[in-house]
Amino acid sequence: MNTFPQATSINEVRNFIDENPLAFVYISRENCGVCHAVQPQVQEMLVEFPMIKPIQVNADKVPEIASEFTVFTVPALLLFADNKEVVREARFVVTDNLHDQFQRVVENYEQL
């Protein structure tokens, strides 16, 4: 079940990244089986990291998302810390590695 807030425009994504110190952008497509398989795993993982605020963007509905963030394949998982991209994973996501990256970013951010 998808409970990520859904972005409907590129401006909404930009504003989301601006407004959230740790912003996670999940870029997917309608007919992407990998996208639909990875999304619940990431959603469950983010429960452990409440500082990270998620949003999902359907590249079929917001096609400019691909050029804005240089995305060539989906799913694309982007984590921004203070408007700077600090984590990028795409297509085949190893959830253990992603968890470790989230952990490091959150720990470093909390120390600031």
Side-chain angles (χ1 to χ4, degrees):
M1 184 167 115
N2 179 3
T3 60
F4 284 161
Q6 301 293 302
T8 57
S9 73
I10 194 69
N11 285 334
E12 187 176 350
V13 176
R14 288 178 189 137
N15 290 338
F16 178 82
I17 293 168
D18 287 343
E19 293 167 2
N20 292 284
L22 293 176
F24 176 71
V25 180
Y26 188 89
I27 302 169
S28 62
R29 288 190 171 284
E30 300 260 339
N31 295 323
C32 169
V34 175
C35 299
H36 299 298
V38 169
Q39 193 269 341
Q41 295 172 20
V42 174
Q43 187 171 306
E44 185 176 317
M45 184 187 312
L46 286 176
V47 169
E48 188 178 332
F49 305 105
M51 287 181 66
I52 300 175
K53 303 301 179 197
I55 196 166
Q56 184 168 0
V57 188
N58 182 327
D60 294 321
K61 295 179 181 173
V62 186
E64 57 271 38
I65 195 77
S67 61
E68 177 86 8
F69 296 106
T70 318
V71 170
F72 298 104
T73 186
V74 290
L77 292 68
L78 312 176
L79 179 61
F80 295 84
D82 294 327
N83 289 338
K84 291 188 172 92
E85 184 180 313
V86 293
V87 173
R88 175 181 285 247
E89 293 289 329
R91 192 66 181 153
F92 300 108
V93 178
V94 178
T95 54
D96 288 343
N97 292 347
L98 185 64
H99 181 277
D100 292 345
Q101 291 180 75
F102 283 175
Q103 184 80 41
R104 277 193 299 277
V105 169
V106 168
E107 286 173 357
N108 288 334
Y109 197 83
E110 288 174 335
Q111 291 175 4
L112 296 177

